[in-house]
Every structure is written in structure tokens, then in C-alpha cells.
PDB file of all heavy atoms in Angstrom:
ATOM      1  N   ARG A 137      84.812 109.254 130.608  1.00 98.00           N
ATOM      2  CA  ARG A 137      86.047 109.201 129.821  1.00 98.00           C
ATOM      3  C   ARG A 137      86.398 107.750 129.481  1.00 98.00           C
ATOM      4  O   ARG A 137      86.773 107.443 128.350  1.00 98.00           O
ATOM      5  CB  ARG A 137      87.174 109.864 130.614  1.00 98.00           C
ATOM      6  CG  ARG A 137      88.538 109.896 129.946  1.00 98.00           C
ATOM      7  CD  ARG A 137      88.614 110.778 128.711  1.00 98.00           C
ATOM      8  NE  ARG A 137      88.000 112.078 128.838  1.00 98.00           N
ATOM      9  CZ  ARG A 137      88.589 113.183 129.279  1.00 98.00           C
ATOM     10  NH1 ARG A 137      89.841 113.156 129.662  1.00 98.00           N
ATOM     11  NH2 ARG A 137      87.940 114.315 129.326  1.00 98.00           N
ATOM     12  N   ARG A 138      86.250 106.839 130.471  1.00 98.00           N
ATOM     13  CA  ARG A 138      86.524 105.421 130.214  1.00 98.00           C
ATOM     14  C   ARG A 138      85.569 104.870 129.145  1.00 98.00           C
ATOM     15  O   ARG A 138      85.978 104.128 128.249  1.00 98.00           O
ATOM     16  CB  ARG A 138      86.405 104.597 131.503  1.00 98.00           C
ATOM     17  CG  ARG A 138      87.604 104.730 132.429  1.00 98.00           C
ATOM     18  CD  ARG A 138      87.554 103.696 133.557  1.00 98.00           C
ATOM     19  NE  ARG A 138      86.510 103.963 134.535  1.00 98.00           N
ATOM     20  CZ  ARG A 138      86.667 104.729 135.619  1.00 98.00           C
ATOM     21  NH1 ARG A 138      87.826 105.290 135.858  1.00 98.00           N
ATOM     22  NH2 ARG A 138      85.668 104.913 136.451  1.00 98.00           N
ATOM     23  N   GLN A 139      84.296 105.242 129.261  1.00 98.00           N
ATOM     24  CA  GLN A 139      83.310 104.779 128.277  1.00 98.00           C
ATOM     25  C   GLN A 139      83.621 105.331 126.889  1.00 98.00           C
ATOM     26  O   GLN A 139      83.501 104.609 125.891  1.00 98.00           O
ATOM     27  CB  GLN A 139      81.903 105.177 128.711  1.00 98.00           C
ATOM     28  CG  GLN A 139      81.392 104.412 129.912  1.00 98.00           C
ATOM     29  CD  GLN A 139      80.052 104.930 130.406  1.00 98.00           C
ATOM     30  OE1 GLN A 139      79.513 105.902 129.889  1.00 98.00           O
ATOM     31  NE2 GLN A 139      79.509 104.272 131.425  1.00 98.00           N
ATOM     32  N   GLN A 140      84.006 106.601 126.820  1.00 98.00           N
ATOM     33  CA  GLN A 140      84.363 107.200 125.537  1.00 98.00           C
ATOM     34  C   GLN A 140      85.576 106.497 124.944  1.00 98.00           C
ATOM     35  O   GLN A 140      85.616 106.215 123.735  1.00 98.00           O
ATOM     36  CB  GLN A 140      84.651 108.701 125.699  1.00 98.00           C
ATOM     37  CG  GLN A 140      83.413 109.529 125.967  1.00 98.00           C
ATOM     38  CD  GLN A 140      83.743 110.972 126.301  1.00 98.00           C
ATOM     39  OE1 GLN A 140      84.819 111.295 126.798  1.00 98.00           O
ATOM     40  NE2 GLN A 140      82.796 111.867 126.028  1.00 98.00           N
ATOM     41  N   ASP A 141      86.570 106.216 125.795  1.00 98.00           N
ATOM     42  CA  ASP A 141      87.767 105.514 125.322  1.00 98.00           C
ATOM     43  C   ASP A 141      87.409 104.112 124.833  1.00 98.00           C
ATOM     44  O   ASP A 141      87.921 103.657 123.805  1.00 98.00           O
ATOM     45  CB  ASP A 141      88.828 105.439 126.424  1.00 98.00           C
ATOM     46  CG  ASP A 141      89.462 106.794 126.728  1.00 98.00           C
ATOM     47  OD1 ASP A 141      89.292 107.732 125.915  1.00 98.00           O
ATOM     48  OD2 ASP A 141      90.127 106.914 127.778  1.00 98.00           O
ATOM     49  N   ALA A 142      86.526 103.420 125.576  1.00 98.00           N
ATOM     50  CA  ALA A 142      86.110 102.074 125.174  1.00 98.00           C
ATOM     51  C   ALA A 142      85.349 102.134 123.847  1.00 98.00           C
ATOM     52  O   ALA A 142      85.560 101.280 122.966  1.00 98.00           O
ATOM     53  CB  ALA A 142      85.237 101.448 126.265  1.00 98.00           C
ATOM     54  N   ALA A 143      84.484 103.135 123.691  1.00 98.00           N
ATOM     55  CA  ALA A 143      83.735 103.285 122.438  1.00 98.00           C
ATOM     56  C   ALA A 143      84.690 103.585 121.278  1.00 98.00           C
ATOM     57  O   ALA A 143      84.533 103.046 120.173  1.00 98.00           O
ATOM     58  CB  ALA A 143      82.691 104.392 122.576  1.00 98.00           C
ATOM     59  N   LYS A 144      85.656 104.426 121.539  1.00 98.00           N
ATOM     60  CA  LYS A 144      86.651 104.761 120.511  1.00 98.00           C
ATOM     61  C   LYS A 144      87.430 103.521 120.104  1.00 98.00           C
ATOM     62  O   LYS A 144      87.654 103.268 118.909  1.00 98.00           O
ATOM     63  CB  LYS A 144      87.595 105.830 121.061  1.00 98.00           C
ATOM     64  CG  LYS A 144      88.545 106.407 120.054  1.00 98.00           C
ATOM     65  CD  LYS A 144      89.353 107.532 120.705  1.00 98.00           C
ATOM     66  CE  LYS A 144      90.308 108.176 119.734  1.00 98.00           C
ATOM     67  NZ  LYS A 144      91.078 109.261 120.373  1.00 98.00           N
ATOM     68  N   GLU A 145      87.827 102.719 121.096  1.00 98.00           N
ATOM     69  CA  GLU A 145      88.558 101.479 120.808  1.00 98.00           C
ATOM     70  C   GLU A 145      87.666 100.502 120.041  1.00 98.00           C
ATOM     71  O   GLU A 145      88.118  99.840 119.091  1.00 98.00           O
ATOM     72  CB  GLU A 145      89.047 100.842 122.119  1.00 98.00           C
ATOM     73  CG  GLU A 145      89.766  99.534 121.944  1.00 98.00           C
ATOM     74  CD  GLU A 145      91.046  99.621 121.111  1.00 98.00           C
ATOM     75  OE1 GLU A 145      91.623 100.720 120.967  1.00 98.00           O
ATOM     76  OE2 GLU A 145      91.466  98.568 120.609  1.00 98.00           O
ATOM     77  N   ALA A 146      86.391 100.420 120.406  1.00 98.00           N
ATOM     78  CA  ALA A 146      85.459  99.532 119.694  1.00 98.00           C
ATOM     79  C   ALA A 146      85.310  99.980 118.249  1.00 98.00           C
ATOM     80  O   ALA A 146      85.299  99.140 117.332  1.00 98.00           O
ATOM     81  CB  ALA A 146      84.107  99.521 120.397  1.00 98.00           C
ATOM     82  N   ARG A 147      85.207 101.287 118.011  1.00 98.00           N
ATOM     83  CA  ARG A 147      85.115 101.806 116.642  1.00 98.00           C
ATOM     84  C   ARG A 147      86.394 101.492 115.862  1.00 98.00           C
ATOM     85  O   ARG A 147      86.354 101.118 114.687  1.00 98.00           O
ATOM     86  CB  ARG A 147      84.863 103.326 116.653  1.00 98.00           C
ATOM     87  CG  ARG A 147      83.436 103.700 117.008  1.00 98.00           C
ATOM     88  CD  ARG A 147      83.144 105.175 116.741  1.00 98.00           C
ATOM     89  NE  ARG A 147      84.037 106.083 117.435  1.00 98.00           N
ATOM     90  CZ  ARG A 147      83.845 106.557 118.659  1.00 98.00           C
ATOM     91  NH1 ARG A 147      82.762 106.190 119.343  1.00 98.00           N
ATOM     92  NH2 ARG A 147      84.705 107.395 119.214  1.00 98.00           N
ATOM     93  N   ARG A 148      87.543 101.622 116.530  1.00 98.00           N
ATOM     94  CA  ARG A 148      88.811 101.334 115.874  1.00 98.00           C
ATOM     95  C   ARG A 148      88.874  99.845 115.483  1.00 98.00           C
ATOM     96  O   ARG A 148      89.254  99.503 114.357  1.00 98.00           O
ATOM     97  CB  ARG A 148      89.974 101.694 116.793  1.00 98.00           C
ATOM     98  CG  ARG A 148      91.346 101.574 116.109  1.00 98.00           C
ATOM     99  CD  ARG A 148      92.481 101.583 117.092  1.00 98.00           C
ATOM    100  NE  ARG A 148      92.487 100.432 118.000  1.00 98.00           N
ATOM    101  CZ  ARG A 148      92.829  99.188 117.653  1.00 98.00           C
ATOM    102  NH1 ARG A 148      93.157  98.905 116.411  1.00 98.00           N
ATOM    103  NH2 ARG A 148      92.828  98.223 118.544  1.00 98.00           N
ATOM    104  N   GLN A 149      88.455  98.991 116.417  1.00 98.00           N
ATOM    105  CA  GLN A 149      88.468  97.564 116.137  1.00 98.00           C
ATOM    106  C   GLN A 149      87.477  97.206 115.026  1.00 98.00           C
ATOM    107  O   GLN A 149      87.769  96.379 114.152  1.00 98.00           O
ATOM    108  CB  GLN A 149      88.151  96.758 117.406  1.00 98.00           C
ATOM    109  CG  GLN A 149      89.281  96.779 118.423  1.00 98.00           C
ATOM    110  CD  GLN A 149      88.943  96.015 119.696  1.00 98.00           C
ATOM    111  OE1 GLN A 149      87.863  95.441 119.820  1.00 98.00           O
ATOM    112  NE2 GLN A 149      89.876  96.018 120.642  1.00 98.00           N
ATOM    113  N   GLU A 150      86.307  97.842 115.053  1.00 98.00           N
ATOM    114  CA  GLU A 150      85.311  97.594 114.009  1.00 98.00           C
ATOM    115  C   GLU A 150      85.855  98.025 112.651  1.00 98.00           C
ATOM    116  O   GLU A 150      85.731  97.309 111.652  1.00 98.00           O
ATOM    117  CB  GLU A 150      84.021  98.357 114.327  1.00 98.00           C
ATOM    118  CG  GLU A 150      82.915  98.128 113.327  1.00 98.00           C
ATOM    119  CD  GLU A 150      81.671  98.940 113.631  1.00 98.00           C
ATOM    120  OE1 GLU A 150      81.669  99.713 114.610  1.00 98.00           O
ATOM    121  OE2 GLU A 150      80.695  98.808 112.868  1.00 98.00           O
ATOM    122  N   SER A 151      86.493  99.187 112.636  1.00 98.00           N
ATOM    123  CA  SER A 151      87.076  99.683 111.399  1.00 98.00           C
ATOM    124  C   SER A 151      88.174  98.740 110.911  1.00 98.00           C
ATOM    125  O   SER A 151      88.263  98.436 109.708  1.00 98.00           O
ATOM    126  CB  SER A 151      87.640 101.088 111.627  1.00 98.00           C
ATOM    127  OG  SER A 151      88.232 101.583 110.452  1.00 98.00           O
ATOM    128  N   ALA A 152      89.006  98.253 111.811  1.00 98.00           N
ATOM    129  CA  ALA A 152      90.074  97.325 111.444  1.00 98.00           C
ATOM    130  C   ALA A 152      89.485  96.016 110.926  1.00 98.00           C
ATOM    131  O   ALA A 152      89.983  95.437 109.942  1.00 98.00           O
ATOM    132  CB  ALA A 152      90.979  97.067 112.645  1.00 98.00           C
ATOM    133  N   ALA A 153      88.401  95.551 111.566  1.00 98.00           N
ATOM    134  CA  ALA A 153      87.754  94.312 111.130  1.00 98.00           C
ATOM    135  C   ALA A 153      87.159  94.488 109.737  1.00 98.00           C
ATOM    136  O   ALA A 153      87.275  93.593 108.879  1.00 98.00           O
ATOM    137  CB  ALA A 153      86.676  93.897 112.131  1.00 98.00           C
ATOM    138  N   LYS A 154      86.542  95.650 109.492  1.00 97.00           N
ATOM    139  CA  LYS A 154      85.972  95.912 108.162  1.00 97.00           C
ATOM    140  C   LYS A 154      87.085  95.956 107.116  1.00 97.00           C
ATOM    141  O   LYS A 154      86.933  95.426 106.011  1.00 97.00           O
ATOM    142  CB  LYS A 154      85.198  97.232 108.162  1.00 97.00           C
ATOM    143  CG  LYS A 154      83.849  97.140 108.827  1.00 97.00           C
ATOM    144  CD  LYS A 154      83.135  98.495 108.777  1.00 97.00           C
ATOM    145  CE  LYS A 154      81.782  98.437 109.441  1.00 97.00           C
ATOM    146  NZ  LYS A 154      81.112  99.750 109.429  1.00 97.00           N
ATOM    147  N   ALA A 155      88.180  96.598 107.460  1.00 97.00           N
ATOM    148  CA  ALA A 155      89.308  96.684 106.530  1.00 97.00           C
ATOM    149  C   ALA A 155      89.855  95.289 106.253  1.00 97.00           C
ATOM    150  O   ALA A 155      90.171  94.949 105.094  1.00 97.00           O
ATOM    151  CB  ALA A 155      90.387  97.595 107.093  1.00 97.00           C
ATOM    152  N   ALA A 156      89.961  94.470 107.303  1.00 97.00           N
ATOM    153  CA  ALA A 156      90.455  93.106 107.125  1.00 97.00           C
ATOM    154  C   ALA A 156      89.491  92.306 106.253  1.00 97.00           C
ATOM    155  O   ALA A 156      89.921  91.533 105.375  1.00 97.00           O
ATOM    156  CB  ALA A 156      90.636  92.432 108.487  1.00 97.00           C
ATOM    157  N   LEU A 157      88.184  92.495 106.456  1.00 97.00           N
ATOM    158  CA  LEU A 157      87.184  91.803 105.651  1.00 97.00           C
ATOM    159  C   LEU A 157      87.280  92.235 104.186  1.00 97.00           C
ATOM    160  O   LEU A 157      87.252  91.393 103.274  1.00 97.00           O
ATOM    161  CB  LEU A 157      85.788  92.073 106.205  1.00 97.00           C
ATOM    162  CG  LEU A 157      84.626  91.386 105.496  1.00 97.00           C
ATOM    163  CD1 LEU A 157      84.770  89.865 105.561  1.00 97.00           C
ATOM    164  CD2 LEU A 157      83.308  91.817 106.105  1.00 97.00           C
ATOM    165  N   ARG A 158      87.419  93.527 103.959  1.00 97.00           N
ATOM    166  CA  ARG A 158      87.579  94.039 102.591  1.00 97.00           C
ATOM    167  C   ARG A 158      88.834  93.437 101.950  1.00 97.00           C
ATOM    168  O   ARG A 158      88.835  93.031 100.778  1.00 97.00           O
ATOM    169  CB  ARG A 158      87.657  95.569 102.574  1.00 97.00           C
ATOM    170  CG  ARG A 158      86.329  96.257 102.730  1.00 97.00           C
ATOM    171  CD  ARG A 158      86.425  97.754 102.429  1.00 97.00           C
ATOM    172  NE  ARG A 158      87.451  98.445 103.190  1.00 97.00           N
ATOM    173  CZ  ARG A 158      87.296  99.037 104.364  1.00 97.00           C
ATOM    174  NH1 ARG A 158      86.089  99.019 104.935  1.00 97.00           N
ATOM    175  NH2 ARG A 158      88.288  99.647 104.967  1.00 97.00           N
ATOM    176  N   ASP A 159      89.888  93.397 102.737  1.00 96.00           N
ATOM    177  CA  ASP A 159      91.151  92.850 102.233  1.00 96.00           C
ATOM    178  C   ASP A 159      90.987  91.371 101.881  1.00 96.00           C
ATOM    179  O   ASP A 159      91.480  90.909 100.824  1.00 96.00           O
ATOM    180  CB  ASP A 159      92.240  93.046 103.291  1.00 96.00           C
ATOM    181  CG  ASP A 159      93.622  92.796 102.740  1.00 96.00           C
ATOM    182  OD1 ASP A 159      93.874  93.161 101.569  1.00 96.00           O
ATOM    183  OD2 ASP A 159      94.453  92.233 103.488  1.00 96.00           O
ATOM    184  N   GLU A 160      90.279  90.617 102.760  1.00 97.00           N
ATOM    185  CA  GLU A 160      90.035  89.191 102.498  1.00 97.00           C
ATOM    186  C   GLU A 160      89.191  89.013 101.238  1.00 97.00           C
ATOM    187  O   GLU A 160      89.473  88.140 100.401  1.00 97.00           O
ATOM    188  CB  GLU A 160      89.340  88.532 103.689  1.00 97.00           C
ATOM    189  CG  GLU A 160      90.227  88.326 104.892  1.00 97.00           C
ATOM    190  CD  GLU A 160      91.388  87.388 104.615  1.00 97.00           C
ATOM    191  OE1 GLU A 160      91.200  86.375 103.912  1.00 97.00           O
ATOM    192  OE2 GLU A 160      92.502  87.674 105.090  1.00 97.00           O
ATOM    193  N   LYS A 161      88.166  89.842 101.074  1.00 96.00           N
ATOM    194  CA  LYS A 161      87.320  89.755  99.880  1.00 96.00           C
ATOM    195  C   LYS A 161      88.132  90.067  98.631  1.00 96.00           C
ATOM    196  O   LYS A 161      88.003  89.394  97.603  1.00 96.00           O
ATOM    197  CB  LYS A 161      86.138  90.725  99.980  1.00 96.00           C
ATOM    198  CG  LYS A 161      85.051  90.263 100.910  1.00 96.00           C
ATOM    199  CD  LYS A 161      83.897  91.267 100.912  1.00 96.00           C
ATOM    200  CE  LYS A 161      82.783  90.846 101.820  1.00 96.00           C
ATOM    201  NZ  LYS A 161      81.681  91.828 101.818  1.00 96.00           N
ATOM    202  N   ARG A 162      88.977  91.077  98.736  1.00 95.00           N
ATOM    203  CA  ARG A 162      89.817  91.454  97.596  1.00 95.00           C
ATOM    204  C   ARG A 162      90.745  90.300  97.235  1.00 95.00           C
ATOM    205  O   ARG A 162      90.885  89.931  96.053  1.00 95.00           O
ATOM    206  CB  ARG A 162      90.618  92.720  97.916  1.00 95.00           C
ATOM    207  CG  ARG A 162      91.503  93.186  96.769  1.00 95.00           C
ATOM    208  CD  ARG A 162      92.355  94.380  97.151  1.00 95.00           C
ATOM    209  NE  ARG A 162      93.125  94.215  98.374  1.00 95.00           N
ATOM    210  CZ  ARG A 162      94.278  93.517  98.458  1.00 95.00           C
ATOM    211  NH1 ARG A 162      94.767  92.908  97.417  1.00 95.00           N
ATOM    212  NH2 ARG A 162      94.926  93.436  99.607  1.00 95.00           N
ATOM    213  N   LYS A 163      91.370  89.708  98.253  1.00 95.00           N
ATOM    214  CA  LYS A 163      92.271  88.578  98.008  1.00 95.00           C
ATOM    215  C   LYS A 163      91.512  87.397  97.406  1.00 95.00           C
ATOM    216  O   LYS A 163      92.016  86.702  96.514  1.00 95.00           O
ATOM    217  CB  LYS A 163      92.971  88.154  99.300  1.00 95.00           C
ATOM    218  CG  LYS A 163      94.049  89.110  99.741  1.00 95.00           C
ATOM    219  CD  LYS A 163      94.700  88.605 101.023  1.00 95.00           C
ATOM    220  CE  LYS A 163      95.738  89.598 101.517  1.00 95.00           C
ATOM    221  NZ  LYS A 163      96.347  89.177 102.787  1.00 95.00           N
ATOM    222  N   ALA A 164      90.272  87.172  97.903  1.00 94.00           N
ATOM    223  CA  ALA A 164      89.470  86.071  97.373  1.00 94.00           C
ATOM    224  C   ALA A 164      89.127  86.327  95.906  1.00 94.00           C
ATOM    225  O   ALA A 164      89.192  85.399  95.078  1.00 94.00           O
ATOM    226  CB  ALA A 164      88.208  85.899  98.193  1.00 94.00           C
ATOM    227  N   ARG A 165      88.781  87.569  95.566  1.00 94.00           N
ATOM    228  CA  ARG A 165      88.477  87.904  94.180  1.00 94.00           C
ATOM    229  C   ARG A 165      89.719  87.712  93.305  1.00 94.00           C
ATOM    230  O   ARG A 165      89.657  87.170  92.208  1.00 94.00           O
ATOM    231  CB  ARG A 165      87.970  89.352  94.063  1.00 94.00           C
ATOM    232  CG  ARG A 165      86.526  89.527  94.421  1.00 94.00           C
ATOM    233  CD  ARG A 165      85.974  90.881  94.011  1.00 94.00           C
ATOM    234  NE  ARG A 165      86.772  92.025  94.440  1.00 94.00           N
ATOM    235  CZ  ARG A 165      86.649  92.669  95.605  1.00 94.00           C
ATOM    236  NH1 ARG A 165      85.728  92.259  96.474  1.00 94.00           N
ATOM    237  NH2 ARG A 165      87.413  93.683  95.890  1.00 94.00           N
ATOM    238  N   GLU A 166      90.849  88.187  93.823  1.00 94.00           N
ATOM    239  CA  GLU A 166      92.102  88.037  93.064  1.00 94.00           C
ATOM    240  C   GLU A 166      92.449  86.562  92.876  1.00 94.00           C
ATOM    241  O   GLU A 166      92.887  86.163  91.791  1.00 94.00           O
ATOM    242  CB  GLU A 166      93.243  88.774  93.759  1.00 94.00           C
ATOM    243  CG  GLU A 166      93.135  90.287  93.662  1.00 94.00           C
ATOM    244  CD  GLU A 166      94.251  91.000  94.457  1.00 94.00           C
ATOM    245  OE1 GLU A 166      95.054  90.324  95.116  1.00 94.00           O
ATOM    246  OE2 GLU A 166      94.266  92.240  94.431  1.00 94.00           O
ATOM    247  N   ALA A 167      92.226  85.792  93.922  1.00 92.00           N
ATOM    248  CA  ALA A 167      92.527  84.357  93.840  1.00 92.00           C
ATOM    249  C   ALA A 167      91.585  83.682  92.829  1.00 92.00           C
ATOM    250  O   ALA A 167      91.999  82.803  92.051  1.00 92.00           O
ATOM    251  CB  ALA A 167      92.409  83.700  95.210  1.00 92.00           C
ATOM    252  N   LYS A 168      90.337  84.114  92.832  1.00 90.00           N
ATOM    253  CA  LYS A 168      89.341  83.563  91.913  1.00 90.00           C
ATOM    254  C   LYS A 168      89.730  83.895  90.474  1.00 90.00           C
ATOM    255  O   LYS A 168      89.642  83.070  89.582  1.00 90.00           O
ATOM    256  CB  LYS A 168      87.955  84.122  92.266  1.00 90.00           C
ATOM    257  CG  LYS A 168      86.834  83.413  91.598  1.00 90.00           C
ATOM    258  CD  LYS A 168      85.524  83.962  92.129  1.00 90.00           C
ATOM    259  CE  LYS A 168      84.350  83.272  91.519  1.00 90.00           C
ATOM    260  NZ  LYS A 168      83.077  83.803  91.951  1.00 90.00           N
ATOM    261  N   LYS A 169      90.168  85.180  90.265  1.00 89.00           N
ATOM    262  CA  LYS A 169      90.598  85.607  88.938  1.00 89.00           C
ATOM    263  C   LYS A 169      91.809  84.808  88.489  1.00 89.00           C
ATOM    264  O   LYS A 169      91.920  84.377  87.336  1.00 89.00           O
ATOM    265  CB  LYS A 169      90.959  87.091  88.940  1.00 89.00           C
ATOM    266  CG  LYS A 169      89.840  88.025  88.686  1.00 89.00           C
ATOM    267  CD  LYS A 169      90.400  89.445  88.594  1.00 89.00           C
ATOM    268  CE  LYS A 169      89.317  90.454  88.445  1.00 89.00           C
ATOM    269  NZ  LYS A 169      89.858  91.813  88.367  1.00 89.00           N
ATOM    270  N   ALA A 170      92.725  84.602  89.416  1.00 89.00           N
ATOM    271  CA  ALA A 170      93.946  83.879  89.087  1.00 89.00           C
ATOM    272  C   ALA A 170      93.632  82.439  88.749  1.00 89.00           C
ATOM    273  O   ALA A 170      94.275  81.824  87.876  1.00 89.00           O
ATOM    274  CB  ALA A 170      94.928  83.973  90.233  1.00 89.00           C
ATOM    275  N   SER A 171      92.646  81.859  89.404  1.00 89.00           N
ATOM    276  CA  SER A 171      92.328  80.476  89.146  1.00 89.00           C
ATOM    277  C   SER A 171      91.599  80.320  87.793  1.00 89.00           C
ATOM    278  O   SER A 171      91.695  79.276  87.176  1.00 89.00           O
ATOM    279  CB  SER A 171      91.484  79.882  90.267  1.00 89.00           C
ATOM    280  OG  SER A 171      90.205  80.461  90.279  1.00 89.00           O
ATOM    281  N   LYS A 172      90.921  81.342  87.347  1.00 83.00           N
ATOM    282  CA  LYS A 172      90.237  81.300  86.060  1.00 83.00           C
ATOM    283  C   LYS A 172      91.236  81.427  84.926  1.00 83.00           C
ATOM    284  O   LYS A 172      90.989  80.952  83.844  1.00 83.00           O
ATOM    285  CB  LYS A 172      89.206  82.431  85.945  1.00 83.00           C
ATOM    286  CG  LYS A 172      87.959  82.173  86.758  1.00 83.00           C
ATOM    287  CD  LYS A 172      86.951  83.285  86.509  1.00 83.00           C
ATOM    288  CE  LYS A 172      85.700  83.030  87.308  1.00 83.00           C
ATOM    289  NZ  LYS A 172      84.720  84.086  87.122  1.00 83.00           N
TER     290      LYS A 172
END
């Protein structure tokens, strides 16, 4: 159960990190567009 909970938390963190990365890329693209 502890291992399953740890795996679930790791998946949640990975998903959050991917979402944050997508958000950063989106912001970078928007910033690039704005600068052009």
C-alpha cells in the first residue's frame, strides 16, 4: 500500500511537472510572439 501510494504520488508529481513544462513552453511561445 505504501509503495502504491508512493507510485501514485510520483505519477501525480510527474503529471504536474509535465503540465508546468507545457505551461512554460506556452508562455515562452507567447512571449516570443509578443516580442515579434
Side-chain angles (χ1 to χ4, degrees):
R137 180 67 45 89
R138 283 191 289 271
Q139 290 174 357
Q140 289 172 334
D141 290 345
K144 188 176 181 180
E145 178 62 21
R147 284 191 303 272
R148 187 195 64 73
Q149 289 178 1
E150 182 182 2
S151 179
K154 284 180 180 178
L157 182 61
R158 282 191 306 269
D159 193 37
E160 287 297 320
K161 284 182 180 180
R162 181 184 52 79
K163 286 181 183 177
R165 280 193 309 271
E166 288 176 357
K168 193 174 181 183
K169 272 185 184 180
S171 68
K172 285 184 180 179

